[in-house]
Each structure stands twice: as structure tokens, then as C-alpha cells.
């Protein structure tokens, strides 16, 4: 596919006439056309990898690579007009081939954890990779975050990218041939819309999400502990020492898990052993797309509104980040310098019959939508 570039047109307007000296002050305004472009980004295992750049009419950009469907950057302006990426990432494929902790990646076949790396479906036991202690995490050793997806662009004037991947029967221990389509769209309202669709020829668990790490300041020298967060959830799912849900659903009121009103993330994090890495049971109102969380950073003026059709939200405060990784700016990524807001079904649902089912049957279509919207406040 040929390279598609940004289109910029300049419109000049005479805005002020100075009568005393009969001169005119000319002010230049720039109109940016929404577009998408593609570039070669290297290869892995003999497969070519591409990087796509989506730009909207505000000049905000999102970069996505076909390796892992990773969002490598999401650049927007802050309240002072300065631009920076609100997601952690790298500027080269090599950074991702070093296997960082799922930065910006599409996660599947099952996002989050499955206890004891085992589940039973239709009377048959399936054993998965135990890649998180004794548990299975984020689809296994080579989940959707480490495969090369096929990218398709509908129009070079529409900042939308479709990624396709077929997960074969038995891949990472899962049953069924699963065809997955994910479409990323950057709107002119600074919304990154992610639409997931999947079909299978055999019953299988499916729980897809995106694992972007956010820091609204755009600088990992700043922690996310001063960010405020609201989660529209009256309940959460407690976990055991290995982060597998116990099966209980508990109320958040009166606990450090209460984010029903905006609260600084650092306010009670020390009361949560290891930090936040839990699933909130969202206050659903049917199956429609609804706002479920708002993250805000006063210093930059940026807020991030999260909309989804999913029943759960995993809030993770980057507890395992340890400074060993360095971002695109050459800065160490320390603990609590980024966070995740992963829309999802509940962890370990295949082993928890009381949780909403994650089993996709032949003839059914898996379809969920999540939107991350950046809003500026002075």
C-alpha cells in the first residue's frame, strides 16, 4: 500500500487594520485534515511489521503497530498547548520485542488471569500456559500481544485502522479457530475508539482488551499518584494472594476501593497490599456504551474519559514497573509512573460460573466497544 501523508492547508486572513499607519496585521491559521499513513517498522520472525499514524483535525495523533496491535503513542495537547504522549511506549520495534509488560498491546485470547492455568468446557479440561506463577495471564506465552496482525485502511482521509488475526485451534491451549477483528478509530473529538469483533468454530473463552499504560502528564518523571480517578462501580471482585478473584463480589463503600467520587489515586493506595490491580464491577445500565471512569491530571489539564460496553474494568497502578525499562524519552519507567484502565469481562470467569460468561459459541459474534476520550480543562 502506498504511503499516505498528512494534508495541511493554510488559510490566511486579515484580522486587524491599523488605521494610523494604514498597515495590516496578518494572522495565519492552519486547518489540518484527518488522515492515516503507513511506514515500514521492521520485521519479526520473518514477518514484516508496519506502523500506522492516525491524525485528526486537531492535530492529535495515535500511532499503532501491527505487532501486537500496540498503541505506541497517543499525542495530544495539554492546557498550555504543549504536546506529549499520554501512553507509555517506544519509538522502535526493538523496544517491544524485548517483551515489556504489555505496553499498549491488544490482549487475547483471554485478557487477565485464569486460575491454575486450567478451565473445563463442555466436560473437557483445557490446560494453558502457566506464565504468571501457577496461573495463566493475558493469553499465554505468545498471546495476541506478540503476533503480527494484518492491517487494512479503508480510506486515507479517515483515521481508522482495521487489524485482523486468526488464532488457530489449539493455539496457547485454547479450543477453536478464532477470527478476530479490531478497529481503531481516532475521532476529531480526541476519542480513540476500539471496536472488537470475533467469531469461532468451537466453543472457547474470549476476553479481549487493550493494555495501554496512561500518564496524563506525558512525563514519566511524574507519578500517577496525584491523578484523580472516578470509577462508576459500587462493587469489586476481591482477589487471593496470586491475584485470582475469590468469587466474591464486595461493596466498595468504606474501603480503599471506593472511587465512586473522584479521588487521588495515592490517597489510599498504601492500604492496598501491592497496589491496585483489581476488577471493578461496573454499574451497567443495559448493554449500551456508557461512561464508566474519568481519570484527571490537574497540572496538564487533561482528563481521560472511559466509555465501554463491558461489565468490568481492571484498574492497575503499574505496581510491577521497576525502572529497568526506559521510555522513548530516555527516562526510567518506575513504579506508579503509569496506570492501566482495561475494560473487560471478569478475571477467571471460565472457572467462576457466577461471573458473566466469557464463552463464545459457534454462530455467535463477540462484539464490544471501548472509547478513551481526552478532554482539556483549564
Amino acid at each position: 500500500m502506498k504511503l499516505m501523508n498528512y494534508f495541511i492547508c493554510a488559510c490566511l486572513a486579515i484580522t486587524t487594520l491599523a488605521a494610523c499607519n494604514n498597515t495590516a496585521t496578518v494572522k495565519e491559521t492552519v486547518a489540518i485534515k484527518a488522515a492515516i499513513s503507513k511506514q515500514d517498522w521492521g520485521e519479526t520472525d520473518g514477518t514484516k511489521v508496519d506502523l500506522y499514524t492516525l491524525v485528526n483535525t486537531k492535530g492529535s495523533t495515535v500511532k499503532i503497530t501491527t505487532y501486537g496491535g500496540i498503541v505506541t503513542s497517543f499525542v495530544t495537547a495539554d492546557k498550555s498547548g504543549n504536546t506529549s504522549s499520554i501512553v507509555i511506549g517506544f519509538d522502535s520495534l526493538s523496544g517491544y520485542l524485548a517483551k515489556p509488560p504489555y505496553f499498549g498491546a491488544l490482549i487475547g485470547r483471554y485478557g487477565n488471569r485464569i486460575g491454575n492455568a486450567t478451565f473445563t468446557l463442555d466436560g473437557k479440561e483445557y490446560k494453558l500456559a502457566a506464565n504468571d506463577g501457577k496461573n495463566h495471564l493475558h493469553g499465554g506465552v505468545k498471546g495476541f500481544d506478540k503476533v503480527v496482525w494484518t492491517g487494512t485502511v479503508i480510506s486515507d482521509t479517515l483515521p481508522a485502522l482495521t487489524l485482523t488475526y486468526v488464532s488457530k485451534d489449539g493455539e496457547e491451549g485454547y479450543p477453536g479457530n478464532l477470527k478476530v477483528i479490531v478497529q481503531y478509530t481516532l475521532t476529531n473529538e480526541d476519542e480513540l475508539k476500539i471496536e472488537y469483533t470475533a467469531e469461532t468454530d468451537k466453543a472457547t473463552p474470549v476476553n479481549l482488551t487493550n493494555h495501554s499504560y496512561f500518564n496524563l502528564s506525558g512525563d514519566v518523571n511524574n507519578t500517577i499518584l496525584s491523578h484523580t480517578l472516578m470509577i462508576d462501580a459500587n462493587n469489586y471482585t476481591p482477589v487471593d494472594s496470586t491475584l485470582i478473584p475469590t468469587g466474591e463480589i464486595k461493596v466498595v463503600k468504606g474501603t480503599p476501593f471506593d472511587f465512586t467520587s473522584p479521588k487521588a489515586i495515592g490517597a489510599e493506595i498504601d492500604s492496598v497490599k501491592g497496589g491496585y490491580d483489581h476488577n471493578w464491577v461496573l454499574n451497567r445500565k443495559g448493554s449500551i456504551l456508557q461512561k464508566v471512569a474519568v481519570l484527571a491530571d490537574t497540572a496538564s489539564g487533561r482528563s481521560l474519559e472511559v466509555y465501554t460496553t463491558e461489565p468490568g474494568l481492571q484498574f492497575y497502578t503499574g505496581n510491577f514497573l521497576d525502572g529497568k525499562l526506559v521510555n522513548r524519552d530516555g527516562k526510567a519507567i518506575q513504579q506508579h509512573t503509569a496506570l492501566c484502565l482495561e475494560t473487560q469481562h471478569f478475571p477467571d470467569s471460565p472457572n467462576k460460573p457466577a461471573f458473566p460468561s466469557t464463552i463464545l459459541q459457534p454462530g455467535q459474534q463477540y462484539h464490544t466497544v471501548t472509547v478513551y476520550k481526552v478532554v482539556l480543562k483549564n
Side-chain angles (χ1 to χ4, degrees), residues 75-347:
V75 175
T76 69
D78 64 14
K79 66 181 181 182
S80 300
N82 301 314
T83 59
S84 55
S85 177
I86 62 169
V87 301
I88 301 297
F90 307 110
D91 285 337
S92 66
L93 178 60
S94 61
Y96 297 99
L97 295 180
K99 299 181 181 179
Y102 307 100
F103 288 172
L106 292 177
I107 304 297
R109 187 174 298 195
Y110 198 95
N112 219 304
R113 294 171 174 84
I114 294 178
N116 295 313
T118 305
F119 67 91
T120 300
L121 180 58
D122 295 334
K124 181 178 178 179
E125 184 180 77
Y126 291 89
K127 294 186 179 297
L128 308 172
N131 62 325
D132 184 51
K134 66 179 182 179
N135 302 317
H136 178 79
L137 175 65
H138 291 333
V141 176
K142 190 176 182 180
F144 292 178
D145 61 295
K146 298 179 183 70
V147 302
V148 179
W149 296 64
T150 300
T152 305
V153 173
I154 299 172
S155 167
D156 60 2
T157 59
L158 175 69
L161 171 66
T162 298
L163 297 176
T164 306
Y165 178 68
V166 177
S167 175
K168 295 182 179 180
D169 186 18
E171 183 175 292
E172 289 296 322
Y174 289 94
N177 294 295
L178 183 75
K179 181 179 180 180
V180 183
I181 300 174
V182 179
Q183 180 165 303
Y184 285 107
T185 303
L186 177 61
T187 75
N188 292 329
E189 288 71 45
D190 283 346
E191 299 166 318
L192 180 59
K193 179 182 178 182
I194 312 174
E195 186 171 6
Y196 306 86
T197 306
E199 295 179 346
T200 184
D201 60 4
K202 190 184 296 184
T204 187
V206 182
N207 189 28
L208 306 178
T209 191
N210 177 274
H211 208 295
S212 286
Y213 283 71
F214 295 97
N215 183 320
L216 297 186
S217 77
D219 186 349
V220 294
N221 280 346
N222 304 316
T223 75
I224 46 80
L225 299 180
S226 62
H227 284 31
T228 61
L229 178 65
M230 183 283 294
I231 303 176
D232 186 12
N234 295 331
N235 301 280
Y236 77 107
T237 52
V239 296
D240 64 19
S241 61
T242 67
L243 298 177
I244 296 296
T246 62
E248 303 169 278
I249 293 179
K250 287 190 173 181
V251 297
V252 299
K253 188 175 181 179
T255 76
F257 298 92
D258 189 354
F259 286 91
T260 51
S261 296
K263 179 175 69 176
I265 291 169
E268 297 184 87
I269 194 171
D270 290 341
S271 300
V272 181
K273 186 177 180 180
Y276 295 106
D277 192 5
H278 298 74
N279 171 68
W280 270 253
V281 180
L282 299 173
N283 296 332
R284 294 298 316 168
K285 300 177 180 67
S287 59
I288 62 170
L289 185 72
Q290 70 180 66
K291 182 161 62 176
V292 298
V294 179
L295 180 70
D297 172 49
T298 303
S300 68
R302 293 183 178 108
S303 292
L304 184 73
E305 298 177 350
V306 183
Y307 300 76
T308 192
T309 59
E310 290 276 42
L313 179 75
Q314 186 82 8
F315 169 41
Y316 170 57
T317 46
N319 310 319
F320 299 111
L321 300 175
D322 57 8
K324 293 179 181 178
L325 294 170
V326 176
N327 76 344
R328 58 171 55 87
D329 300 321
K331 298 175 181 178
I333 304 169
Q334 304 284 358
Q335 186 183 53
H336 305 323
T337 57
L339 62 86
C340 300
L341 296 169
E342 304 158 68
T343 57
Q344 61 179 12
H345 270 58
F346 304 170

Side-chain angles (χ1 to χ4, degrees), residues 8-35:
I8 301 178
C9 63
C11 302
L12 301 179
I14 297 176
T15 57
T16 305
L17 288 176
C20 59
N21 57 9
N22 200 32
T23 61
T25 299
V26 179
K27 182 178 180 181
E28 181 178 327
T29 59
V30 178
I32 302 173
K33 289 186 177 181

